[in-house]
Every structure is written in C-alpha cells, then in structure tokens.
Amino acid sequence: SNLQSAIVFPNKIATEQQSLMLVKRLLAVAVSCITYLRGIFPESAYGTRYMDDVCVKILREDKNCPGSTQLVKWMLGCYDALQKKYVSLTISFSYLKFIETFIYVSPLAARTITECYHFKFKYTHNGPLLDFSSKNKRNDSTITCADTKKASILLIRKIYVLMQNLGPLPNDVCLTMKLFYYDEVTPSDYQPPGFKEGECEGMIFEGEPMYLNVGEVPTPFHMLKVKVTTEKQRMENVDKGILKRGATDGPLQVLGVDRDDPEE
C-alpha cells in the first residue's frame, strides 16, 4: 500500500507481473527523486532505500506533510492504470506558477507551467517484447534483466545529475499530476482512484521551453521513457557533457522538438 518496498532486480524478468512490479518501483524512485531534489517536500516526507548500490529517497505518507500523502495516493492511482495497461503518456508533472490577474477566470486558466516531467509507458499485449531500443544488437535479441538493471540505474543517476544542476524553481509553485490514456483500450468512464476527468486545456509555458530526453528503461514487457521540459535559462549550469547526443552511455539528449514519438 505504500511506495517504500526495496527495489530488487530479479535474476530474470520472466513474467509480466515481475516486470510491472519493477516498473512501479522505478516510477516511485524517479518521482521521489525529482520532488526531493527540487525541494518540494521536507526531508521527513522521505525514507531511504537502496537500488543496487545507489542510495535513493522514496516518498512516504507523512502526517505532517499532507502534500506528500496526496502524491503517494496519486501514485497508487497511477499504479492502477499501469496494471490495466491504460496509461500512455503518464504523469505530466507540472510545477504551476500562479499569475496575479485582475479578472478572475479559473484557477487553472491563471497558471503557467514552469517545469514538466513526462513518463511514457508502452506495453506488450502478447508476450515478451524484443529489444527495439538498441541500434547495434540483432533485432531478435530479447531484453535481459541485466539490460533493465543497467538502464534503471543509469536513468536514476541521470535524474540526480540533472536535478542537481538545474536552476531553482520559483517559490510559489504547486504540483499537479495528469494521466493520459491509450483511448483504444481504456473505458471512457475509467478514472483511477484519486483522479477525476480533466479539462484538456492548453497550458501556457513560461519562458522558452527546453525539451530533454532523460532516458528509457526496457523490460521484456514494458518500456518506460522519461522526458523533462524546463525553462531554458535553468539549463545554464548544466554541464554540456551530460547533454551530448549519441554518446555510448546514452546521456541526456536535448530535443528542440520531440519528433521521437509520432503519436504524441
């Protein structure tokens, strides 16, 4: 019922259930790291866990911090959608900055986005997935647990490096979470626990957006991709070394426009 379980990589990801468990854990670690390193919640809202040899912070329900309890509930709702294979471009995690307007419209209309985190999930509907991410291997090689583990640890390390180098957020931010669905498989009335039907309003992004491909983690049954949109000026201190395109260890990619996924 919480996000606190240890992240254990099995020797082999043989079943969809094992894969799902790992993807849920990885999502919990990523969201926790982001909120922790962006200073959204106090230290007391996190526990410490290990992912292989990497020490990570994990959100927990802290009675003194209603926001962290709310986010844990949203995460559990997200797990529900993940389990049903409904979620596509999941959590658009926006820090919204309030604008003072003389005419009161609606709270949503009066916000601008200042930073977003996109977690996109892909699923296989019939058996294990072939490794379609690597350019250099033969196409028929299946994804091993070692591949998944290496990609997971790399993803979390990259999130850490990026968060530690991004310029600070404004003080008066608030956090929202949106789920997007694969319409062809999701019942029209489905809402996971803790979520309600959203208005799909276009939100205004403040400043000049910069799109970053943080990384992707394949398992034989799932694929998780993580992207960040932030204000360009916040990137000033980010060492361009971690942003080079196409280096061997797959560093962060800066995308002018996201052409990677036509369905987006």
Side-chain angles (χ1 to χ4, degrees):
S1 69
N2 64 16
L3 311 182
Q4 288 282 311
S5 340
I7 300 95
V8 180
F9 293 95
N11 293 329
K12 189 171 195 292
I13 303 169
T15 66
E16 196 165 358
Q17 195 49 43
Q18 282 178 313
S19 176
L20 179 68
M21 193 63 96
L22 203 56
V23 169
K24 285 177 175 179
R25 296 268 177 282
L26 194 55
L27 180 62
V29 174
V31 170
S32 300
C33 286
I34 290 163
T35 55
Y36 180 76
L37 293 166
R38 286 321 247 144
I40 302 298
F41 302 120
E43 187 77 39
S44 60
Y46 298 88
T48 302
R49 286 287 175 276
Y50 282 86
M51 184 168 140
D52 205 39
D53 59 345
V54 184
C55 178
V56 293
K57 296 288 183 184
I58 303 275
L59 261 173
R60 60 176 169 209
E61 298 189 54
D62 173 8
K63 57 182 185 305
N64 303 318
C65 180
S68 72
T69 302
Q70 179 62 64
L71 187 52
V72 169
K73 288 199 169 82
W74 287 347
M75 294 291 293
L76 298 176
C78 184
Y79 284 179
D80 184 76
L82 254 177
Q83 202 146 348
K84 293 181 164 76
K85 304 187 183 186
Y86 290 165
V87 186
S88 68
L89 184 85
T90 325
I91 316 163
S92 202
F93 220 18
S94 322
Y95 297 99
L96 303 176
K97 188 171 178 182
F98 293 99
I99 317 166
E100 294 304 323
T101 43
F102 293 110
I103 308 155
Y104 181 76
V105 206
S106 82
L108 275 176
R111 295 173 179 183
T112 54
I113 296 181
T114 183
E115 201 158 277
C116 281
Y117 297 87
H118 306 282
F119 295 85
K120 179 161 188 166
F121 297 96
K122 288 183 177 170
Y123 312 88
T124 58
H125 288 278
N126 35 15
L129 189 65
L130 292 174
D131 185 354
F132 58 79
S133 59
S134 67
K135 311 279 177 280
N136 47 5
K137 290 191 200 163
R138 297 198 331 273
N139 285 343
D140 59 356
S141 58
T142 45
I143 296 151
T144 65
C145 193
D147 296 334
T148 301
K149 181 175 173 176
K150 186 181 172 200
S152 301
I153 290 166
L154 185 63
L155 175 71
I156 298 306
R157 286 191 196 280
K158 284 205 267 186
I159 288 174
Y160 262 83
V161 171
L162 180 62
M163 298 297 108
Q164 284 164 338
N165 288 282
L166 277 181
L169 289 165
N171 291 328
D172 52 348
V173 292
C174 78
L175 186 154
T176 59
M177 193 187 267
K178 280 189 165 195
L179 301 182
F180 295 83
Y181 302 104
Y182 285 117
D183 287 336
E184 64 277 15
V185 290
T186 310
S188 56
D189 60 351
Y190 171 75
Q191 291 299 335
F195 287 83
K196 63 181 184 0
E197 187 66 43
E199 306 89 55
C200 215
E201 71 296 312
M203 287 193 177
I204 312 144
F205 191 90
E206 179 175 314
E208 190 183 336
M210 189 134 191
Y211 304 90
L212 304 172
N213 240 344
V214 184
E216 53 186 50
V217 177
T219 82
F221 301 90
H222 295 87
M223 168 68 96
L224 165 63
K225 293 186 178 191
V226 182
K227 296 176 184 181
V228 178
T229 309
T230 188
E231 285 183 44
K232 195 171 181 197
Q233 69 202 41
R234 261 188 221 122
M235 293 285 297
E236 280 166 5
N237 302 331
V238 178
D239 170 21
K240 297 299 176 273
I242 62 168
L243 298 173
K244 277 198 225 89
R245 278 180 171 281
T248 50
D249 228 359
L252 289 162
Q253 286 187 332
V254 177
L255 304 167
V257 177
D258 188 355
R259 302 190 194 288
D260 165 33
D261 280 310
E263 74 268 26
E264 285 171 34

